[in-house]
Short mmCIF file of all heavy atoms in Angstrom, two decimals:
data_model
loop_
_atom_site.label_atom_id
_atom_site.label_comp_id
_atom_site.label_asym_id
_atom_site.label_seq_id
_atom_site.Cartn_x
_atom_site.Cartn_y
_atom_site.Cartn_z
N THR A 1 -17.11 -4.15 -17.68
CA THR A 1 -18.54 -4.44 -17.50
C THR A 1 -19.04 -5.55 -18.40
O THR A 1 -20.25 -5.83 -18.43
CB THR A 1 -19.36 -3.17 -17.75
OG1 THR A 1 -19.08 -2.68 -19.08
CG2 THR A 1 -19.02 -2.08 -16.75
N ASP A 2 -18.15 -6.20 -19.15
CA ASP A 2 -18.59 -7.29 -20.03
C ASP A 2 -18.02 -8.62 -19.51
O ASP A 2 -17.62 -8.74 -18.35
CB ASP A 2 -18.18 -7.02 -21.48
CG ASP A 2 -16.67 -7.05 -21.68
OD1 ASP A 2 -15.92 -7.24 -20.69
OD2 ASP A 2 -16.21 -6.90 -22.83
N ARG A 3 -17.95 -9.64 -20.37
CA ARG A 3 -17.52 -10.98 -19.96
C ARG A 3 -16.02 -11.21 -20.20
O ARG A 3 -15.58 -12.35 -20.26
CB ARG A 3 -18.30 -12.04 -20.71
CG ARG A 3 -19.78 -12.12 -20.38
CD ARG A 3 -20.41 -13.37 -21.01
NE ARG A 3 -19.88 -14.61 -20.46
CZ ARG A 3 -19.00 -15.40 -21.09
NH1 ARG A 3 -18.53 -15.06 -22.30
NH2 ARG A 3 -18.57 -16.52 -20.52
N SER A 4 -15.25 -10.16 -20.32
CA SER A 4 -13.84 -10.32 -20.66
C SER A 4 -13.12 -11.30 -19.75
O SER A 4 -12.41 -12.21 -20.21
CB SER A 4 -13.12 -8.97 -20.61
OG SER A 4 -13.55 -8.12 -21.64
N MET A 5 -13.27 -11.15 -18.43
CA MET A 5 -12.54 -12.01 -17.50
C MET A 5 -13.08 -13.43 -17.49
O MET A 5 -12.33 -14.38 -17.24
CB MET A 5 -12.55 -11.40 -16.11
CG MET A 5 -11.75 -10.11 -15.99
SD MET A 5 -10.06 -10.23 -16.67
CE MET A 5 -9.35 -11.54 -15.66
N ASP A 6 -14.36 -13.61 -17.78
CA ASP A 6 -14.90 -14.96 -17.94
C ASP A 6 -14.23 -15.64 -19.13
O ASP A 6 -13.85 -16.83 -19.05
CB ASP A 6 -16.42 -14.92 -18.16
CG ASP A 6 -17.17 -14.45 -16.93
OD1 ASP A 6 -16.66 -14.65 -15.81
OD2 ASP A 6 -18.27 -13.88 -17.10
N VAL A 7 -14.05 -14.88 -20.21
CA VAL A 7 -13.39 -15.41 -21.40
C VAL A 7 -11.94 -15.75 -21.09
O VAL A 7 -11.42 -16.79 -21.53
CB VAL A 7 -13.47 -14.40 -22.57
CG1 VAL A 7 -12.64 -14.88 -23.76
CG2 VAL A 7 -14.92 -14.17 -22.99
N VAL A 8 -11.27 -14.91 -20.32
CA VAL A 8 -9.89 -15.17 -19.92
C VAL A 8 -9.80 -16.51 -19.19
O VAL A 8 -8.95 -17.37 -19.51
CB VAL A 8 -9.35 -14.04 -19.02
CG1 VAL A 8 -8.03 -14.46 -18.37
CG2 VAL A 8 -9.17 -12.76 -19.83
N ARG A 9 -10.65 -16.69 -18.21
CA ARG A 9 -10.60 -17.93 -17.41
C ARG A 9 -10.96 -19.15 -18.24
O ARG A 9 -10.37 -20.23 -18.08
CB ARG A 9 -11.53 -17.78 -16.20
CG ARG A 9 -11.03 -16.74 -15.19
CD ARG A 9 -11.95 -16.64 -13.98
NE ARG A 9 -11.41 -15.69 -13.00
CZ ARG A 9 -11.68 -14.38 -12.99
NH1 ARG A 9 -12.50 -13.87 -13.90
NH2 ARG A 9 -11.14 -13.60 -12.07
N GLU A 10 -11.92 -19.01 -19.14
CA GLU A 10 -12.29 -20.12 -20.02
C GLU A 10 -11.13 -20.48 -20.94
O GLU A 10 -10.89 -21.67 -21.22
CB GLU A 10 -13.52 -19.73 -20.85
CG GLU A 10 -14.80 -19.61 -20.03
CD GLU A 10 -15.92 -18.90 -20.79
OE1 GLU A 10 -15.70 -18.55 -21.99
OE2 GLU A 10 -16.98 -18.66 -20.20
N THR A 11 -10.40 -19.49 -21.41
CA THR A 11 -9.28 -19.73 -22.32
C THR A 11 -8.13 -20.45 -21.61
O THR A 11 -7.42 -21.26 -22.20
CB THR A 11 -8.77 -18.40 -22.91
OG1 THR A 11 -9.87 -17.71 -23.54
CG2 THR A 11 -7.67 -18.62 -23.93
N LEU A 12 -7.98 -20.16 -20.33
CA LEU A 12 -6.85 -20.71 -19.57
C LEU A 12 -7.17 -21.98 -18.79
O LEU A 12 -6.26 -22.62 -18.25
CB LEU A 12 -6.33 -19.65 -18.58
CG LEU A 12 -5.69 -18.41 -19.20
CD1 LEU A 12 -5.33 -17.41 -18.09
CD2 LEU A 12 -4.44 -18.76 -20.01
N GLN A 13 -8.44 -22.36 -18.74
CA GLN A 13 -8.82 -23.43 -17.81
C GLN A 13 -8.15 -24.77 -18.11
O GLN A 13 -7.88 -25.55 -17.19
CB GLN A 13 -10.34 -23.59 -17.79
CG GLN A 13 -10.96 -24.04 -19.09
CD GLN A 13 -12.48 -24.14 -18.99
OE1 GLN A 13 -13.05 -24.02 -17.90
NE2 GLN A 13 -13.14 -24.36 -20.13
N ASN A 14 -7.84 -25.05 -19.37
CA ASN A 14 -7.20 -26.33 -19.69
C ASN A 14 -5.72 -26.18 -20.05
O ASN A 14 -5.10 -27.13 -20.53
CB ASN A 14 -7.94 -27.00 -20.86
CG ASN A 14 -9.36 -27.40 -20.48
OD1 ASN A 14 -9.60 -27.88 -19.37
ND2 ASN A 14 -10.30 -27.19 -21.39
N TYR A 15 -5.18 -24.98 -19.80
CA TYR A 15 -3.78 -24.75 -20.15
C TYR A 15 -2.84 -25.36 -19.10
O TYR A 15 -3.05 -25.18 -17.90
CB TYR A 15 -3.49 -23.26 -20.29
CG TYR A 15 -2.04 -22.96 -20.55
CD1 TYR A 15 -1.48 -23.21 -21.81
CD2 TYR A 15 -1.20 -22.46 -19.56
CE1 TYR A 15 -0.14 -22.96 -22.06
CE2 TYR A 15 0.14 -22.20 -19.80
CZ TYR A 15 0.66 -22.46 -21.05
OH TYR A 15 2.00 -22.22 -21.30
N SER A 16 -1.81 -26.06 -19.55
CA SER A 16 -0.86 -26.67 -18.61
C SER A 16 0.57 -26.56 -19.12
O SER A 16 1.41 -27.39 -18.83
CB SER A 16 -1.21 -28.15 -18.38
OG SER A 16 -1.17 -28.86 -19.62
N GLY A 17 0.84 -25.51 -19.91
CA GLY A 17 2.16 -25.33 -20.49
C GLY A 17 3.13 -24.63 -19.57
O GLY A 17 2.86 -24.44 -18.37
N PRO A 18 4.26 -24.19 -20.10
CA PRO A 18 5.33 -23.63 -19.27
C PRO A 18 5.11 -22.19 -18.81
O PRO A 18 5.79 -21.73 -17.90
CB PRO A 18 6.56 -23.72 -20.19
CG PRO A 18 5.97 -23.62 -21.57
CD PRO A 18 4.67 -24.34 -21.51
N ILE A 19 4.21 -21.48 -19.45
CA ILE A 19 3.99 -20.08 -19.08
C ILE A 19 3.15 -20.00 -17.80
O ILE A 19 2.12 -20.67 -17.68
CB ILE A 19 3.29 -19.31 -20.21
CG1 ILE A 19 4.14 -19.35 -21.49
CG2 ILE A 19 3.02 -17.85 -19.80
CD1 ILE A 19 3.45 -18.76 -22.71
N GLU A 20 3.60 -19.19 -16.86
CA GLU A 20 2.84 -18.99 -15.63
C GLU A 20 1.87 -17.82 -15.82
O GLU A 20 2.31 -16.67 -15.97
CB GLU A 20 3.77 -18.70 -14.46
CG GLU A 20 3.02 -18.43 -13.16
CD GLU A 20 3.90 -17.91 -12.04
OE1 GLU A 20 5.12 -17.79 -12.25
OE2 GLU A 20 3.35 -17.59 -10.96
N PHE A 21 0.58 -18.12 -15.83
CA PHE A 21 -0.43 -17.07 -15.95
C PHE A 21 -0.94 -16.69 -14.56
O PHE A 21 -1.24 -17.56 -13.74
CB PHE A 21 -1.61 -17.55 -16.80
CG PHE A 21 -1.32 -17.57 -18.28
CD1 PHE A 21 -0.81 -18.72 -18.89
CD2 PHE A 21 -1.55 -16.45 -19.06
CE1 PHE A 21 -0.54 -18.74 -20.24
CE2 PHE A 21 -1.29 -16.47 -20.42
CZ PHE A 21 -0.78 -17.61 -21.02
N ARG A 22 -1.01 -15.39 -14.31
CA ARG A 22 -1.56 -14.90 -13.06
C ARG A 22 -2.56 -13.79 -13.34
O ARG A 22 -2.34 -12.97 -14.26
CB ARG A 22 -0.46 -14.35 -12.14
CG ARG A 22 0.40 -15.41 -11.50
CD ARG A 22 1.25 -14.80 -10.38
NE ARG A 22 2.40 -14.08 -10.90
CZ ARG A 22 2.91 -12.99 -10.35
NH1 ARG A 22 2.32 -12.43 -9.30
NH2 ARG A 22 3.99 -12.42 -10.85
N ILE A 23 -3.63 -13.76 -12.59
CA ILE A 23 -4.63 -12.70 -12.73
C ILE A 23 -4.49 -11.73 -11.57
O ILE A 23 -4.51 -12.12 -10.41
CB ILE A 23 -6.06 -13.28 -12.78
CG1 ILE A 23 -6.24 -14.12 -14.06
CG2 ILE A 23 -7.10 -12.15 -12.73
CD1 ILE A 23 -7.59 -14.83 -14.14
N ILE A 24 -4.31 -10.45 -11.91
CA ILE A 24 -4.23 -9.38 -10.91
C ILE A 24 -5.52 -8.59 -11.00
O ILE A 24 -5.85 -8.04 -12.06
CB ILE A 24 -3.03 -8.44 -11.18
CG1 ILE A 24 -1.74 -9.24 -11.37
CG2 ILE A 24 -2.91 -7.40 -10.08
CD1 ILE A 24 -1.33 -10.06 -10.18
N THR A 25 -6.27 -8.53 -9.92
CA THR A 25 -7.56 -7.85 -9.95
C THR A 25 -7.45 -6.47 -9.32
O THR A 25 -7.05 -6.33 -8.16
CB THR A 25 -8.63 -8.66 -9.19
OG1 THR A 25 -8.72 -9.97 -9.79
CG2 THR A 25 -9.99 -7.99 -9.29
N GLN A 26 -7.79 -5.45 -10.09
CA GLN A 26 -7.78 -4.09 -9.59
C GLN A 26 -8.94 -3.88 -8.60
O GLN A 26 -10.03 -4.45 -8.78
CB GLN A 26 -7.94 -3.09 -10.74
CG GLN A 26 -6.74 -3.06 -11.70
CD GLN A 26 -5.62 -2.21 -11.15
OE1 GLN A 26 -4.94 -2.58 -10.19
NE2 GLN A 26 -5.41 -1.05 -11.76
N PRO A 27 -8.76 -3.04 -7.58
CA PRO A 27 -9.87 -2.78 -6.65
C PRO A 27 -11.03 -2.06 -7.32
O PRO A 27 -12.18 -2.22 -6.93
CB PRO A 27 -9.22 -1.90 -5.57
CG PRO A 27 -7.97 -1.35 -6.18
CD PRO A 27 -7.50 -2.39 -7.16
N LYS A 28 -10.72 -1.27 -8.36
CA LYS A 28 -11.75 -0.60 -9.14
C LYS A 28 -11.15 -0.25 -10.50
O LYS A 28 -9.93 -0.34 -10.69
CB LYS A 28 -12.24 0.68 -8.44
CG LYS A 28 -11.14 1.72 -8.23
CD LYS A 28 -11.69 2.96 -7.55
CE LYS A 28 -10.57 4.00 -7.37
NZ LYS A 28 -11.10 5.24 -6.73
N ASN A 29 -11.99 0.14 -11.44
CA ASN A 29 -11.49 0.52 -12.75
C ASN A 29 -10.58 1.75 -12.61
O ASN A 29 -10.99 2.79 -12.10
CB ASN A 29 -12.64 0.84 -13.70
CG ASN A 29 -12.16 1.43 -15.01
OD1 ASN A 29 -12.47 2.57 -15.31
ND2 ASN A 29 -11.41 0.68 -15.77
N GLY A 30 -9.34 1.61 -13.07
CA GLY A 30 -8.39 2.71 -12.93
C GLY A 30 -7.81 3.20 -14.23
O GLY A 30 -7.03 4.15 -14.25
N GLY A 31 -8.16 2.53 -15.34
CA GLY A 31 -7.63 2.94 -16.63
C GLY A 31 -6.35 2.20 -16.99
O GLY A 31 -5.77 1.46 -16.20
N LEU A 32 -5.91 2.42 -18.23
CA LEU A 32 -4.78 1.68 -18.79
C LEU A 32 -3.50 1.88 -18.00
O LEU A 32 -2.78 0.93 -17.70
CB LEU A 32 -4.57 2.09 -20.25
CG LEU A 32 -3.44 1.39 -21.01
CD1 LEU A 32 -3.66 -0.11 -21.05
CD2 LEU A 32 -3.33 1.95 -22.43
N SER A 33 -3.19 3.13 -17.64
CA SER A 33 -1.94 3.39 -16.91
C SER A 33 -1.93 2.69 -15.56
O SER A 33 -0.93 2.09 -15.17
CB SER A 33 -1.76 4.90 -16.71
OG SER A 33 -1.48 5.54 -17.92
N SER A 34 -3.05 2.77 -14.86
CA SER A 34 -3.15 2.13 -13.55
C SER A 34 -2.98 0.62 -13.67
O SER A 34 -2.30 -0.01 -12.85
CB SER A 34 -4.50 2.46 -12.91
OG SER A 34 -4.65 1.80 -11.68
N ALA A 35 -3.58 0.03 -14.70
CA ALA A 35 -3.46 -1.42 -14.91
C ALA A 35 -2.03 -1.81 -15.24
O ALA A 35 -1.51 -2.81 -14.74
CB ALA A 35 -4.41 -1.86 -16.02
N ARG A 36 -1.37 -1.02 -16.09
CA ARG A 36 0.04 -1.31 -16.40
C ARG A 36 0.91 -1.21 -15.16
O ARG A 36 1.79 -2.04 -14.93
CB ARG A 36 0.54 -0.35 -17.48
CG ARG A 36 0.04 -0.66 -18.88
CD ARG A 36 0.49 0.41 -19.85
NE ARG A 36 0.13 0.09 -21.23
CZ ARG A 36 0.23 0.95 -22.24
NH1 ARG A 36 0.69 2.17 -22.02
NH2 ARG A 36 -0.12 0.58 -23.46
N ASN A 37 0.66 -0.19 -14.35
CA ASN A 37 1.45 -0.03 -13.12
C ASN A 37 1.24 -1.19 -12.16
O ASN A 37 2.18 -1.65 -11.51
CB ASN A 37 1.08 1.29 -12.44
CG ASN A 37 1.59 2.50 -13.19
OD1 ASN A 37 2.51 2.40 -14.00
ND2 ASN A 37 1.00 3.65 -12.93
N ALA A 38 0.00 -1.68 -12.08
CA ALA A 38 -0.27 -2.84 -11.23
C ALA A 38 0.50 -4.05 -11.74
O ALA A 38 1.04 -4.85 -10.95
CB ALA A 38 -1.77 -3.13 -11.21
N GLY A 39 0.58 -4.18 -13.06
CA GLY A 39 1.36 -5.27 -13.64
C GLY A 39 2.83 -5.16 -13.30
O GLY A 39 3.48 -6.14 -12.93
N ILE A 40 3.39 -3.96 -13.43
CA ILE A 40 4.81 -3.76 -13.12
C ILE A 40 5.10 -4.12 -11.66
O ILE A 40 6.08 -4.80 -11.35
CB ILE A 40 5.22 -2.29 -13.38
CG1 ILE A 40 5.10 -1.94 -14.87
CG2 ILE A 40 6.65 -2.04 -12.89
CD1 ILE A 40 5.22 -0.46 -15.17
N ARG A 41 4.24 -3.67 -10.76
CA ARG A 41 4.48 -3.88 -9.33
C ARG A 41 4.35 -5.36 -8.93
O ARG A 41 4.90 -5.77 -7.92
CB ARG A 41 3.52 -3.01 -8.52
CG ARG A 41 3.82 -1.52 -8.66
CD ARG A 41 2.99 -0.67 -7.71
NE ARG A 41 3.38 0.72 -7.81
CZ ARG A 41 2.71 1.67 -8.47
NH1 ARG A 41 1.58 1.34 -9.08
NH2 ARG A 41 3.15 2.91 -8.51
N ASN A 42 3.64 -6.11 -9.73
CA ASN A 42 3.50 -7.54 -9.45
C ASN A 42 4.43 -8.41 -10.29
O ASN A 42 4.45 -9.62 -10.12
CB ASN A 42 2.04 -7.98 -9.68
CG ASN A 42 1.12 -7.56 -8.56
OD1 ASN A 42 0.99 -8.24 -7.55
ND2 ASN A 42 0.47 -6.41 -8.73
N ALA A 43 5.19 -7.79 -11.17
CA ALA A 43 6.06 -8.54 -12.08
C ALA A 43 7.34 -8.97 -11.36
O ALA A 43 7.82 -8.30 -10.44
CB ALA A 43 6.41 -7.69 -13.29
N SER A 44 7.90 -10.08 -11.79
CA SER A 44 9.17 -10.55 -11.24
C SER A 44 10.20 -10.83 -12.33
O SER A 44 11.32 -11.26 -12.03
CB SER A 44 8.95 -11.82 -10.40
OG SER A 44 8.30 -12.82 -11.16
N GLY A 45 9.85 -10.60 -13.61
CA GLY A 45 10.77 -10.87 -14.70
C GLY A 45 11.86 -9.81 -14.82
O GLY A 45 11.73 -8.69 -14.32
N LYS A 46 12.93 -10.16 -15.51
CA LYS A 46 14.00 -9.21 -15.77
C LYS A 46 13.51 -8.10 -16.68
O LYS A 46 13.89 -6.93 -16.52
CB LYS A 46 15.20 -9.92 -16.41
CG LYS A 46 16.37 -8.99 -16.69
CD LYS A 46 17.57 -9.76 -17.25
CE LYS A 46 18.74 -8.82 -17.52
NZ LYS A 46 19.91 -9.53 -18.07
N TYR A 47 12.66 -8.49 -17.65
CA TYR A 47 12.07 -7.51 -18.57
C TYR A 47 10.56 -7.55 -18.44
O TYR A 47 9.97 -8.60 -18.16
CB TYR A 47 12.43 -7.84 -20.02
CG TYR A 47 13.91 -7.81 -20.35
CD1 TYR A 47 14.68 -8.96 -20.27
CD2 TYR A 47 14.52 -6.64 -20.75
CE1 TYR A 47 16.03 -8.95 -20.57
CE2 TYR A 47 15.88 -6.62 -21.06
CZ TYR A 47 16.63 -7.77 -20.97
OH TYR A 47 17.97 -7.76 -21.27
#
């Protein structure tokens, strides 16, 4: 409910380095476990 994601986008707007940043948006607030699981399901790294 705050400006966290605005801050995220502002921090990344001029970034052009080797790390690929992606934003995964939850359909609704689901808590820490739900957010971690969404990250796992969208991840493609070995670790």
